[in-house]
Amino acid sequence: MLLTAIVDGVNGEFAGAVVRALGSRHLPICVWMRDTDVDELTHVAPDEAAGRAGYVRAAAASFLAWREGQLAGLRKRGALVVDADPQGVTPALLHRYLEVKARRLL
């Protein structure tokens, strides 16, 4: 199991390499912690005084798109992915564990 909150391409590639290495003999599960602050930035209301809200929203959306691409890459490499915020990680992990057992993946 890989528990991470990667925010850049270098470490994203490292996570992919770890999953690839584990995949030959193990069932890799990648738990990627969602940053709720970044999620909220995609909903920032325009601030006419500062004029930066559009840029902030665009940067947050760009990061989230990159993140989704990284998660898709991990899935393609055979990892089971748990994408959850810190408060929801425990139920998400339990759900994934029950899925693994039900599908008899181990």
Side-chain angles (χ1 to χ4, degrees), residues 14-96:
F14 180 71
V18 169
V19 166
R20 199 172 24 257
L22 289 173
S24 64
R25 299 191 63 188
H26 303 281
L27 177 63
I29 297 177
C30 183
V31 181
W32 200 316
M33 303 295 281
R34 181 173 285 277
D35 187 341
T36 55
D37 292 336
V38 175
D39 290 342
E40 289 175 12
L41 288 175
T42 61
H43 304 293
V44 170
D47 180 0
E48 294 176 14
R52 298 185 310 249
Y55 297 114
V56 169
R57 218 177 13 239
S62 176
F63 174 75
L64 292 177
W66 170 82
R67 186 178 180 282
E68 289 302 317
Q70 292 293 307
L71 292 173
L74 291 171
R75 288 182 186 104
K76 283 183 185 177
R77 290 182 179 108
L80 298 177
V81 174
V82 174
D83 179 22
D85 60 48
Q87 288 73 31
V89 73
T90 300
L93 275 171
L94 288 172
H95 181 279
R96 183 60 74 177

